[in-house]
Amino acid sequence: LRKTFENLSVDQKQNKSNTANGGEEKRGDVKLLGDEAFKSGDFDSALRHYSKALSEAKHPKAKVLSNRSACYAKLGRWFDSLKDAQQALQLSPKWAKAWTRVGCAMQGLGNLLDAYCVLCKGLGVCSEGREQIQQSMLELLALIPTMDTHVSLSSSQSSRCFQRFKMDSTFSRHKTRIFCISDVHIDQHGNLGWFKTLSNQNFKNDVLIIAGDIGDTMNAVRICLKEFRKRFRRVFMCPGNHDLWIRKDTSDAKIYPDSIAKLGAMHNVCQECDVDLGPAEVAEGLYVVPLFSWYNHTFDEKDPNPGALRFDSFCKWPPNMSYLQVWKYFLQLNKTRVEYDYKGSYSKRLGGPIHPSKSEDPFVFSFSHFLPRAELPYPWGVSEMAKAVGCKELDLQIQDIRSDIHVFGHTHMDTDTLVGNKYISDKTSGKICLGSEKNQTRYVQSALDGGGSLYQLYGNNILTGTRVDSEGKPI
């Protein structure tokens, strides 16, 4: 981020009549005075000069607004910087620097995913300066995991992610139940009709985990989230592969240049629906942690090489991101949320160590769309399916946060099970292999599109494992 701001510069191109008259002309030209002040680091003076230049018709307004936006950015006045950049963009919609100014201001506000989406749009509009936009996009991709206000738990205590994390930390755990579901596919097989049977009253104190594959389009995702949110106190989701599709026969193809841009927009849809993509303490000592995930072909233990089939061709990735490496970027998006010590922070808040016999012990419920363990069920008979269902590296993150229950989806094969020993990363080869320490995490899938339903994970102050009906009663 610091590098981006240090590289801010102003547009100093002038009319020939201005440059020909030398220093005498410069002393009378407020824009040139602003350029000189900016170059010397006197941003307050530059701001005054540019503001005056805007009142003079001889100066190109878009360039002056762009320069003033850079001044505001240097002074940390991000809302003012964004306002000027957006005005410059309205005046010169095909000017690459105006697009990057908007992106820079959004970055300063912590909205890096939004900035990426904006630059994607600019790349499709501008014929010149595309390299500048592409470079800014690359820099943003690297910063999003730790600095975006929606994604990062450590970006700022005023960030949306942090505020949502703590908002229910004093809610009674005795009143709370936690449920899960996956693979809702609301736009397929008449699944939307399932909501008509779901109680509007019986889940008002409860929490729902949705482990991906909500719908093929953003509109389907929005409809589903609204249906769940009006029934549950808190709703959490993580994207599945279908959620990130950009099919040519849908409106998404006209809106989202790639699947990262759609992921960024998904955070805004969640905010609109009062739904969470980030972690939170949903009641006293009860933590829900969404984990981004994608499949790694090495999950196939019989043949850990890339396959001949290309899965999820409806997904579109940035030019520098190979579809075989998407899993690495998605794990990076989890960086700050897996570095947080959920159980330790709760124990510290209570003022003592955690004892298994105590009713106030914390529980961590993590979830992803893809499988974190090779022992979990998937359709083994389908050609190369093992290369597109899971990621063992994800399980290392699950163990880092000491998850009690991990919910997953994708395979539409319901399960609630323990597995063998924990995975470890071999120090020599870097490969994931079984260690000697026993794995204590339970792994759960309950897929609506596979014939499943809501599955209760927690209630009456204990961990449970019960399928419930549309009224929330055990089946």
Side-chain angles (χ1 to χ4, degrees):
L1 187 64
R2 182 168 58 251
K3 177 184 174 183
T4 302
F5 299 149
E6 287 174 351
N7 290 339
L8 280 173
S9 61
V10 294
D11 194 291
Q12 300 185 49
K13 294 180 181 178
Q14 297 296 315
N15 295 331
K16 291 182 179 179
S17 60
N18 287 347
T19 56
N21 293 326
E24 190 70 29
E25 181 69 24
K26 184 181 290 186
R27 285 192 291 272
D29 190 319
V30 287
K31 182 186 179 299
L32 286 176
L33 291 172
D35 295 344
E36 288 299 311
F38 187 98
K39 189 175 180 180
S40 66
D42 186 359
F43 304 118
D44 287 310
S45 294
L47 200 61
R48 289 194 296 271
H49 291 310
Y50 289 139
S51 296
K52 187 174 181 180
L54 286 171
S55 64
E56 299 179 358
K58 66 178 181 178
H59 299 294
K61 194 171 182 180
K63 289 183 178 180
V64 178
L65 284 165
S66 172
N67 289 359
R68 194 171 72 170
S69 173
C71 283
Y72 282 132
K74 287 287 190 179
L75 295 170
R77 295 171 58 177
W78 301 114
F79 285 107
D80 292 325
S81 178
L82 180 59
K83 182 179 178 181
D84 274 4
Q86 288 174 329
Q87 289 185 36
L89 185 59
Q90 287 178 341
L91 292 170
S92 297
K94 295 185 178 182
W95 185 31
K97 180 165 281 189
W99 287 97
T100 57
R101 287 279 193 254
V102 173
C104 180
M106 286 183 165
Q107 180 178 347
L109 289 166
N111 298 321
L112 281 74
L113 271 169
D114 289 341
Y116 180 85
C117 295
V118 164
L119 292 178
C120 277
K121 186 176 181 180
L123 197 62
V125 171
C126 299
S127 57
E128 297 181 357
R130 292 172 58 84
E131 296 82 3
Q132 181 184 3
I133 294 176
Q134 288 173 328
Q135 183 59 37
S136 296
M137 290 170 64
L138 284 175
E139 293 171 358
L140 282 170
L141 282 173
L143 294 171
I144 285 168
T146 56
M147 302 193 70
D148 185 80
T149 186
H150 296 290
V151 174
S152 173
L153 195 56
S154 63
S155 59
S156 168
Q157 290 195 2
S158 62
S159 71
R160 182 176 191 267
C161 192
F162 188 85
Q163 292 298 319
R164 300 286 296 183
F165 178 83
K166 66 179 184 178
M167 62 183 286
D168 284 331
S169 61
T170 60
F171 193 89
S172 172
R173 62 191 290 158
H174 299 278
K175 296 180 180 179
T176 300
R177 295 183 298 174
I178 298 177
F179 297 89
C180 71
I181 199 166
S182 73
D183 303 281
V184 177
H185 291 288
I186 194 170
D187 45 5
Q188 299 179 22
H189 309 148
N191 290 341
L192 180 59
W194 177 76
F195 284 99
K196 295 179 180 180
T197 69
L198 195 60
S199 173
N200 288 318
Q201 302 298 325
N202 292 1
F203 303 103
K204 294 298 185 182
N205 287 328
D206 301 330
V207 176
L208 178 65
I209 289 169
I210 314 172
D213 272 7
I214 292 173
D216 289 4
T217 66
M218 190 67 82
N219 187 51
V221 170
R222 180 184 284 107
I223 291 171
C224 182
L225 295 181
K226 287 183 176 180
E227 288 291 337
F228 275 129
R229 181 60 186 88
K230 68 184 182 183
R231 293 168 169 85
F232 287 83
R233 174 170 63 87
R234 293 288 292 269
V235 174
F236 293 80
M237 72 155 288
C238 68
N241 48 317
H242 279 256
D243 303 317
L244 296 176
W245 280 7
I246 305 175
R247 285 179 12 204
K248 293 181 179 180
D249 60 340
T250 68
S251 60
D252 286 1
K254 300 178 182 179
I255 302 173
Y256 310 115
D258 64 36
S259 294
I260 298 297
K262 188 174 181 182
L263 176 63
M266 200 168 293
H267 282 81
N268 294 327
V269 169
C270 283
Q271 185 170 355
E272 169 195 330
C273 299
D274 195 31
V275 170
D276 291 277
L277 266 164
E281 185 175 5
V282 296
E284 299 165 305
L286 302 180
Y287 298 93
V288 173
V289 186
L291 296 175
F292 297 100
S293 65
W294 202 257
Y295 43 81
N296 180 0
H297 58 267
T298 63
F299 194 80
D300 185 348
E301 295 181 329
K302 293 182 179 180
D303 177 21
N305 298 301
L309 299 178
R310 170 70 187 276
F311 292 88
D312 295 299
S313 58
F314 287 135
C315 289
K316 184 178 179 181
W317 305 110
N320 67 310
M321 189 183 294
S322 164
Y323 77 96
L324 294 175
Q325 302 298 317
V326 172
W327 66 272
K328 290 184 178 180
Y329 187 72
F330 275 56
L331 292 186
Q332 290 175 17
L333 292 174
N334 299 330
K335 178 177 171 56
T336 60
R337 58 189 67 181
V338 298
E339 289 176 344
Y340 190 85
D341 184 3
Y342 300 94
K343 293 184 177 181
S345 64
Y346 183 70
S347 176
K348 185 177 180 180
R349 201 166 79 210
L350 291 182
I354 300 170
H355 298 288
S357 60
K358 290 189 176 181
S359 61
E360 67 267 22
D361 280 351
F363 292 115
V364 174
F365 304 86
S366 59
F367 68 103
S368 62
H369 181 63
F370 292 101
L371 284 61
R373 301 279 307 198
E375 305 96 323
L376 298 171
Y378 62 90
W380 292 306
V382 180
S383 178
E384 298 191 0
M385 179 60 72
K387 302 180 188 300
V389 296
C391 178
K392 292 182 180 180
E393 290 80 0
L394 174 64
D395 202 56
L396 299 180
Q397 295 187 332
I398 293 168
Q399 299 310 316
D400 282 344
I401 60 176
R402 295 184 285 168
S403 179
D404 294 282
I405 296 179
H406 183 79
V407 180
F408 63 97
H410 190 57
T411 57
H412 300 207
M413 300 175 73
D414 295 353
T415 189
D416 185 343
T417 186
L418 294 169
V419 296
N421 292 349
K422 291 182 179 180
Y423 282 148
I424 60 171
S425 178
D426 184 82
K427 294 182 180 179
T428 304
S429 66
K431 295 180 179 179
I432 306 301
C433 54
L434 288 174
S436 58
E437 187 178 350
K438 188 171 179 59
N439 191 329
Q440 302 293 334
T441 304
R442 274 171 53 199
Y443 297 85
V444 175
Q445 179 173 191
S446 183
L448 178 66
D449 203 52
S453 62
L454 292 177
Y455 194 79
Q456 186 173 341
L457 305 173
Y458 177 88
N460 296 321
N461 212 31
I462 60 171
L463 297 178
T464 61
T466 308
R467 182 166 290 180
V468 300
D469 62 19
S470 59
E471 298 295 322
K473 298 177 181 179
I475 299 175

